[in-house]
Amino acid sequence: MQDTITATINPADEQGIYLEGEQLDALKAYFQSGTLRVKAASQIGDSAASIISETVAKSLLYGDITCPGGNMYPTRRYAACLRDLTYFLRYATYAMLAADASILDERVLNGLKETYSSLGVPVEATIQAVQAMKEVVTHRVGADAGQEMDVYLDHIIAGLS
């Protein structure tokens, strides 16, 4: 993972040039949105457990998936689902802070779809849960910060699709 600062400065350093134009604009945008991203990360961290609970209630709790024979039954499977959603939220928050989705590829998505398929985890239900998470997060942090997080939650959805 590289944050925007590192991703912008390193190539210029390797070329021995000063930053200019688009490079400076990228840094300016990153710094201007910094307060918003940090505030959102703080709000998400403070309410992560309730975000996950609300996400599950909105997307998974009332379907066949939690009944005997469903993929969130028994409790062990339910706990694994909650764990994975917690990882998705945490790593999407890291990515949002760095303004870099590569951490999601490295730590979350690399091989996840194949692993889920081999274990019989319903990918469509997982995608529905991440869609619900977007709504819950936006409700908690506000529309502007929600849009920042949407980029990274959408990256997870795309990786699972």
Side-chain angles (χ1 to χ4, degrees), residues 141-158:
V141 300
D144 291 339
Q147 285 180 329
E148 287 282 334
M149 276 296 286
D150 284 356
V151 170
Y152 305 100
L153 294 171
D154 284 339
H155 190 82
I156 293 170
I157 291 168

Side-chain angles (χ1 to χ4, degrees), residues 3-159:
D3 60 35
T4 298
I5 298 167
T6 306
T8 303
I9 293 175
N10 281 349
D13 182 42
E14 289 171 5
Q15 296 174 19
I17 61 174
Y18 286 95
L19 299 177
E20 54 186 36
E22 290 178 16
Q23 298 158 322
L24 290 173
D25 289 343
L27 290 176
K28 182 179 177 182
Y30 179 73
F31 289 127
Q32 286 176 333
S33 66
T35 301
L36 176 73
R37 288 181 285 110
V38 169
K39 182 179 176 186
S42 176
Q43 290 172 318
I44 291 166
D46 289 345
S47 60
S50 63
I51 289 171
I52 298 302
S53 295
E54 191 174 337
T55 295
V56 170
K58 277 180 107 50
S59 60
L60 301 172
L61 202 53
Y62 301 106
D64 292 341
I65 198 166
T66 57
C67 296
N71 286 81
M72 284 178 58
Y73 184 90
T75 306
R76 174 182 51 82
R77 287 183 178 173
Y78 185 83
C81 178
L82 296 179
R83 177 204 61 213
D84 288 359
L85 291 174
T86 301
Y87 289 162
F88 297 164
L89 180 62
R90 182 165 46 96
Y91 281 108
T93 304
Y94 294 163
M96 185 246 334
L97 282 168
D100 179 18
S102 69
I103 191 171
L104 296 171
D105 297 324
E106 296 167 11
R107 306 273 174 98
V108 176
L109 295 171
N110 189 12
L112 182 64
K113 187 175 180 180
E114 295 79 11
T115 301
Y116 275 9
S117 294
S118 71
L119 294 173
V121 175
V123 174
E124 284 303 316
T126 305
I127 290 171
Q128 288 175 348
V130 177
Q131 287 283 6
M133 185 182 291
K134 287 173 49 177
E135 294 173 26
V136 173
V137 168
T138 296
H139 177 74
R140 295 291 174 100
V141 300
D144 291 339
Q147 285 180 329
E148 287 282 334
M149 276 296 286
D150 284 356
V151 170
Y152 305 100
L153 294 171
D154 284 339
H155 190 82
I156 293 170
I157 291 168

